[in-house]
């Protein structure tokens, strides 16, 4: 599984079925601009990732708590 909250690079993201080079770049740009993903559904806020493609990759991705967070 791929952890979307960490510093995964675009080449790592392209390894996920349905994520091409441009979408991978947009995911990285979104994360740099908005911070780590808080939940996997946030991925649908990235241009080029709609509900249909999200549902295909959802089983392959996870979001971990941000490093240094106070979550238990």
């Amino acid at each position: 599984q791929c952890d979307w909250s960490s510093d995964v690079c675009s080449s790592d993201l392209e390894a996920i079925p349905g994520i091409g080079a441009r979408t991978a770049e947009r995911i990285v740009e979104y994360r740099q601009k908005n911070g780590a993903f808080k939940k996997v559904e946030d991925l649908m806020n990235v241009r080029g990732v709609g509900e249909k493609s999200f549902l295909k990759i959802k089983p392959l991705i996870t979001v971990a708590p941000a490093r240094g967070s106070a979550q238990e």
Side-chain angles (χ1 to χ4, degrees):
Q1 287 188 329
C2 180
D3 178 9
W4 293 78
S5 62
S6 65
D7 294 328
V8 177
C9 67
S10 59
S11 61
D12 295 328
L13 298 172
E14 288 178 52
I16 297 170
I19 301 293
R22 186 63 191 126
T23 302
E25 289 174 21
R26 288 181 184 137
I27 291 167
V28 171
E29 289 169 7
Y30 180 91
R31 192 179 56 224
Q32 289 172 343
K33 188 176 186 179
N34 299 288
F37 289 94
K38 309 244 183 316
K39 56 186 179 180
V40 293
E41 291 80 6
D42 289 343
L43 183 60
M44 288 190 288
N45 294 327
V46 176
R47 196 173 97 225
V49 180
E51 184 176 5
K52 186 176 177 181
S53 56
F54 170 75
L55 291 174
K56 288 181 183 177
I57 64 172
K58 185 178 178 181
L60 306 173
I61 59 177
T62 61
V63 174
R67 290 183 200 114
S69 72
Q71 295 181 1
E72 291 184 35

